[in-house]
Amino acid sequence: MTDPVTTVRSTCPRDCYDACGIVVKKRGDRITKVTGDSTHAISRGSLCGKCAVAYNGSWLDPRVRLQQPWRRIGPKGQGMFAPATWEEVLPEIAARLRPLVDAGGDGLLQTHYTGTCSLIAGSFPLRFFNRVGAVEVDPDSVCNKAGHLALQMTFGDSLTGFDPRTVRDTACILIWGANPSSSAPHIDRHWFREAVATKIVIDPIRHPTAAAADLHLQPFPGTDAALAFAMLHVIQAEGLIDQEFLTACTLGWEDVERHVRQSTPEWAEGVSGVPAALIVEAARRYGRGPSLLWLGQGLQRQRLGGNVMRSCALLPIATGMLGRPGTGFLYLNGFPGRGIDVDYLTGASLGRTGPRSISHMDLAAHLEDRDAARALVSWNNNIAASSPEQGRLRRALCREDLLHVAIDLVQTDTLDYADFVLPAASFLEFDDLVLSYFNYTVSAQVKAIAPMGHALPNQEIFRRLARALGLRDPELFEPDASILRELLKQTGLSLTFEELAGRGTVDYGSEPVMPFADRRFLTPSGRVEIASDRFAQAGPFARAATAGGRAAGGGQDAHALTGDVLAHEQQLRQRGARSQTARGRRRLLPSR
Ligand SMILES: Nc1nc2c(c(=O)[nH]1)N[C@H]1C(S)=C(S)[C@@H](COP(=O)(O)OP(=O)(O)OC[C@H]3O[C@@H](n4cnc5c(=O)[nH]c(N)nc54)[C@H](O)[C@@H]3O)O[C@H]1N2
Ligand SMILES: Nc1nc2c(c(=O)[nH]1)N[C@H]1C(S)=C(S)[C@@H](COP(=O)(O)OP(=O)(O)OC[C@H]3O[C@@H](n4cnc5c(=O)[nH]c(N)nc54)[C@H](O)[C@@H]3O)O[C@H]1N2
Ligand code: SF4
Ligand SMILES: [Mo]
């Protein structure tokens, strides 16, 4: 007799704006099919292409999944391993890490990012690394750091964006340098396309979201600040500046106003290639509002990317398009916006040496330094494929004296260089929580089957490693059930994990969150800081600390929102860069 089909409702925890509800169909202990959850407000029954394949393919395939630890037997980089057991490898790894741990973590490097974004599997291991004092490769530095720095310094917060539910109150959605048709496919298909509002997209590429918009502005890459200033010029000329907000809540407008006056749409057309009439139209639609501004991560991956973000963020500032229904900006909605105490989750108090980090941009060089990097633990990411300077990085990973422990679900480019490969459980194999970085929701990731073979969730791997090292801090061993209870308590939702699992996804509060409604900004001045000496002072710090900081503009660049971004574009123009980018544009944009 065959087992009856049962279903488990869960959530996709991948690095994606959507956080789709999923349904796992099982027969006995075997998964037969993973689909989108038709009752889920975002996925509405469908998975994206990559997940439809992966959930039903690689992650269920015993030939692809890592099922036990492996120990290297060939030269580094060749991917030659012999099978081993947890009981064998953990004491060996611990013995080799111990001198570094005893020395306060000097020489121990860890890289991680968003293989899974679920709360416990994605963040609990940081308790271990905080405790042992490892140097962290700042994960955001390869992705979105410049934007975070810019917005944090301007508003005191880059992680509390508009609540997408407020779309019902908006007249205009402006998406600047994001491509939801690919990076947030369900949000594109449902939230964006169904919205009753004017839709504007600013992107050099005419991707499907741009094609579906009412207005598509196609600037030459890297000319966004000129566009932003020209839109502000129009907004000012049309009397759409919110002077009351500027006076009551901001610092530094007078520093930029001069440039706004000079930045005519005709000038910006010359710099950006966007017709002046289109700039005027977009500025009017945005400026009348209420308007939402989605600042994409692609927007800040450019020279002076941080200052570009600051320039674009002037739109909601100058129009006071904040803190009321239908207004606001969004970069990423982070954990704290749903009550989560990130310091608790990551064991910040265990850190004895204070946070130490390097940028992904400096990873290859750091790994070449035999004293600075004696051991590397890479987990939840695939640095050999995703970090810069790949050739140099891969050569450094070949160092025979570098102890490299790598954790993943499947054999990756990075794992080929490891001394020890440890098998991680997939998100179908343990309970966890998922917070979308777009919607203000809280979702359950629910265990549908036991981990494949001897695979373990990240958090359990680090508990066992801590034990093998003889560490005793109770935070390192807190069980999942206790963490889930505490995290749910922090959300204030009054739900047990089982209750949440029954519902799949719940909204955080019944009404849209309204960031900055109280006009409190967590900057040193308590105001929105458009320009201040901090930007100048942040330059060298940012440059040293992060690649994003580099992109945000070092030294005088960082101060120079008022001048440098625009000056840079003027220079481009004077150097005849326009004709070069125009050639690039023809290549990129056959549709126009
Ligand atoms: N060439 C290139 N480089 C890029 C980018 C690009 O588009 N192209 N994008 C950049 C950006 S924006 C980002 S955010 C970074 C992303 O860079 P990475 O964080 O390296 O992203 P992925 O390549 O998705 O690697 C995630 C890895 O985690 C594994 N994984 C999944 N779940 C788990 C788990 O539960 N435990 C463990 N231990 N592992 C798990 C997956 O199998 C996968 O190998 O790359 C940056 N670099
Ligand atoms: N399917 C899928 N979805 C993903 C991911 C994935 O790997 N696959 N990765 C996730 C991750 S890690 C991230 S960071 C997000 C990123 O997702 P998004 O925030 O959407 O950012 P990107 O897709 O990196 O880039 C968005 C757009 O920026 C545009 N752009 C590039 N240069 C410029 C410029 O100078 N000016 C302007 N205005 N636009 C510019 C590009 O043309 C592109 O269309 O996606 C997440 N979602
Ligand atoms: S669209 Fe995003 S959340 Fe949905 S299934 Fe794909 S990766 Fe997962
Ligand atoms: Mo990213």
Side-chain angles (χ1 to χ4, degrees), residues 480-533:
D480 286 7
S482 157
I483 305 173
L484 287 171
R485 249 194 323 276
E486 173 58 27
L487 292 174
L488 280 169
K489 197 168 97 194
Q490 290 173 7
T491 66
L493 287 173
S494 307
L495 288 173
T496 63
F497 183 75
E498 288 67 30
E499 288 164 344
L500 179 63
R503 293 171 59 180
T505 289
V506 297
D507 285 329
Y508 186 69
S510 53
E511 285 302 310
V513 175
M514 206 56 66
F516 308 120
D518 58 4
R519 295 189 161 195
R520 284 185 57 232
F521 299 93
L522 297 173
T523 53
S525 64
R527 290 164 169 250
V528 176
E529 298 195 356
I530 295 168
S532 82
D533 290 344

Side-chain angles (χ1 to χ4, degrees), residues 7-13 19-24 35 37 40 43 55 427-432 434 443-448 501 504-505:
T7 58
V8 177
R9 179 185 277 179
S10 189
T11 309
C12 177
C20 288
I22 63 177
V23 168
V24 185
T35 63
D37 179 353
H40 190 260
S43 71
Y55 278 115
F427 7 95
L428 300 170
E429 298 167 354
F430 59 95
D431 292 337
D432 211 328
V434 179
S443 308
Q445 172 189 306
V446 183
K447 177 175 180 171
T505 289

Side-chain angles (χ1 to χ4, degrees), residues 113 115-116 143 301 380-382 386 407-409 412 424-425 427 458:
Y113 209 17
T116 175
C143 171
R301 293 191 196 116
N380 225 17
N381 67 352
N382 181 11
S386 61
I407 310 176
D408 208 298
L409 268 64
T412 64
F427 7 95
N458 292 341

Side-chain angles (χ1 to χ4, degrees), residues 12 14 16 18-20 47-48 50-51 185-186:
C12 177
R14 299 193 76 184
C16 165
D18 287 7
C20 288
L47 298 175
C48 64
K50 73 179 180 194
C51 282
H186 299 87

Side-chain angles (χ1 to χ4, degrees), residues 175-225:
I175 300 184
W176 202 323
N179 177 10
S181 66
S182 176
S183 62
H186 299 87
I187 286 162
D188 176 66
R189 198 179 317 149
H190 305 139
W191 181 85
F192 179 67
R193 306 223 182 180
E194 291 169 9
V196 183
T198 300
K199 293 159 193 158
I200 307 173
V201 170
I202 304 183
D203 199 301
I205 306 279
R206 193 167 177 80
H207 48 60
T209 307
D214 299 296
L215 302 179
H216 177 202
L217 282 60
Q218 280 181 283
F220 302 133
T223 62
D224 300 274

Side-chain angles (χ1 to χ4, degrees), residues 216-264:
H216 177 202
L217 282 60
Q218 280 181 283
F220 302 133
T223 62
D224 300 274
L227 261 188
F229 273 75
M231 287 177 71
L232 289 161
H233 179 97
V234 176
I235 284 167
Q236 185 161 54
E238 307 248 329
L240 296 170
I241 297 278
D242 186 339
Q243 203 55 55
E244 188 276 329
F245 181 80
L246 284 177
T247 307
C249 301
T250 71
L251 279 182
W253 173 250
E254 57 288 353
D255 283 8
V256 297
E257 198 178 15
R258 184 167 53 90
H259 296 281
V260 168
R261 285 192 195 289
Q262 289 166 0
S263 302
T264 63

Side-chain angles (χ1 to χ4, degrees), residues 94-387:
R96 292 187 60 185
L97 288 181
R98 182 159 294 112
L100 303 182
V101 173
D102 289 346
D106 284 344
L108 174 53
L109 192 65
Q110 64 115 351
T111 73
H112 67 105
Y113 209 17
T114 47
T116 175
C117 294
S118 63
L119 265 67
I120 304 180
S123 297
F124 176 89
L126 298 175
R127 290 189 184 184
F128 173 85
F129 291 110
N130 275 325
R131 167 63 183 80
V132 300
V135 175
E136 180 187 55
V137 181
D138 182 336
D140 285 347
S141 57
V142 78
C143 171
N144 55 24
K145 189 75 179 189
H148 279 306
L149 275 176
L151 295 173
Q152 276 162 15
M153 291 175 70
T154 305
F155 297 98
D157 184 358
S158 63
L159 287 170
T160 313
F162 66 68
D163 184 331
R165 287 174 290 183
T166 201
V167 71
R168 65 185 187 210
D169 304 306
T170 203
C172 174
I173 301 171
L174 169 52
I175 300 184
W176 202 323
N179 177 10
S181 66
S182 176
S183 62
H186 299 87
I187 286 162
D188 176 66
R189 198 179 317 149
H190 305 139
W191 181 85
F192 179 67
R193 306 223 182 180
E194 291 169 9
V196 183
T198 300
K199 293 159 193 158
I200 307 173
V201 170
I202 304 183
D203 199 301
I205 306 279
R206 193 167 177 80
H207 48 60
T209 307
D214 299 296
L215 302 179
H216 177 202
L217 282 60
Q218 280 181 283
F220 302 133
T223 62
D224 300 274
L227 261 188
F229 273 75
M231 287 177 71
L232 289 161
H233 179 97
V234 176
I235 284 167
Q236 185 161 54
E238 307 248 329
L240 296 170
I241 297 278
D242 186 339
Q243 203 55 55
E244 188 276 329
F245 181 80
L246 284 177
T247 307
C249 301
T250 71
L251 279 182
W253 173 250
E254 57 288 353
D255 283 8
V256 297
E257 198 178 15
R258 184 167 53 90
H259 296 281
V260 168
R261 285 192 195 289
Q262 289 166 0
S263 302
T264 63
E266 292 69 28
W267 165 79
E269 174 173 344
V271 177
S272 69
V274 178
L278 203 49
I279 299 174
V280 171
E281 182 65 10
R284 278 190 188 138
R285 300 281 190 113
Y286 180 87
R288 286 178 194 147
S291 296
L292 297 174
L293 173 62
W294 178 348
L295 295 164
Q297 296 169 78
L299 176 61
Q300 45 91 65
R301 293 191 196 116
Q302 51 173 296
R303 187 169 177 268
L304 302 177
N307 277 340
V308 168
M309 287 295 270
R310 289 171 65 201
S311 306
C312 299
L314 284 173
L315 287 181
I317 298 171
T319 55
M321 219 67 87
L322 283 171
R324 346 180 228 114
T327 69
F329 69 89
L330 177 137
Y331 188 39
L332 296 170
N333 281 329
F335 300 166
R338 271 147 288 182
I340 298 299
D341 178 352
V342 175
D343 285 350
Y344 155 77
L345 185 58
T346 61
S349 64
L350 294 167
R352 305 191 175 173
T353 47
R356 298 196 284 181
S357 67
I358 62 162
S359 162
H360 269 281
M361 305 303 149
D362 301 323
L363 175 58
H366 192 91
L367 281 173
E368 284 169 355
D369 182 336
R370 287 169 197 276
D371 294 322
R374 294 161 62 189
L376 166 69
V377 182
S378 59
W379 59 283
N380 225 17
N381 67 352
N382 181 11
I383 48 171
S386 61
S387 275

